[in-house]
Amino acid sequence: WFEYYAALIRTHEGRTMPFKGEYINFVERVPLGVVGQICPYNHPLLITIKKLAPALAAGNCVVCKPSEFAPCSILELASIMKRAGLPDGVLNVV
């Protein structure tokens, strides 16, 4: 998932959509800011990564709340991403 969204962002381009009249309709995608994610107990790592990859690729910060029944895999993912060089505050697990 991370490789797919990284490639998608690399090929991203703004588009000018056809519009009647003397107007220019330009689409530009911008980050939302902070994205909140509530992750379930069944398949916590898979579902978290499916949500996390597009949010990070779009330039957002993420606050992730794992299930209280299965928090370990999400905490380990956050630790691995921190060691890989993700800046402080980009991924927060609460």
Side-chain angles (χ1 to χ4, degrees), residues 12 26-33 55 57-60:
H12 172 71
F26 185 75
V27 177
E28 182 181 14
R29 305 205 184 272
V30 295
L32 296 174
N60 298 304

Side-chain angles (χ1 to χ4, degrees), residues 6 16-17 22 28 31 42 44 46 56 60 65:
T16 303
M17 307 301 283
E22 299 179 9
E28 182 181 14
N42 56 338
L46 175 66
L56 292 177
N60 298 304
K65 197 264 181 221

Side-chain angles (χ1 to χ4, degrees), residues 11-67:
T11 60
H12 172 71
E13 60 185 32
R15 297 186 182 188
T16 303
M17 307 301 283
F19 199 73
K20 293 184 179 181
E22 299 179 9
Y23 300 100
I24 294 177
N25 187 8
F26 185 75
V27 177
E28 182 181 14
R29 305 205 184 272
V30 295
L32 296 174
V34 179
V35 176
Q37 298 178 349
I38 300 174
C39 302
Y41 69 93
N42 56 338
H43 308 293
L45 187 59
L46 175 66
I47 294 172
T48 299
I49 287 177
K50 282 184 175 182
K51 293 178 178 183
L52 186 65
L56 292 177
N60 298 304
C61 294
V62 178
V63 176
C64 181
K65 197 264 181 221
S67 169

Side-chain angles (χ1 to χ4, degrees), residues 1-11 53-54 57:
W1 294 100
F2 288 111
E3 290 177 6
Y4 171 77
Y5 284 104
L8 191 65
I9 289 301
R10 258 185 276 140
T11 60

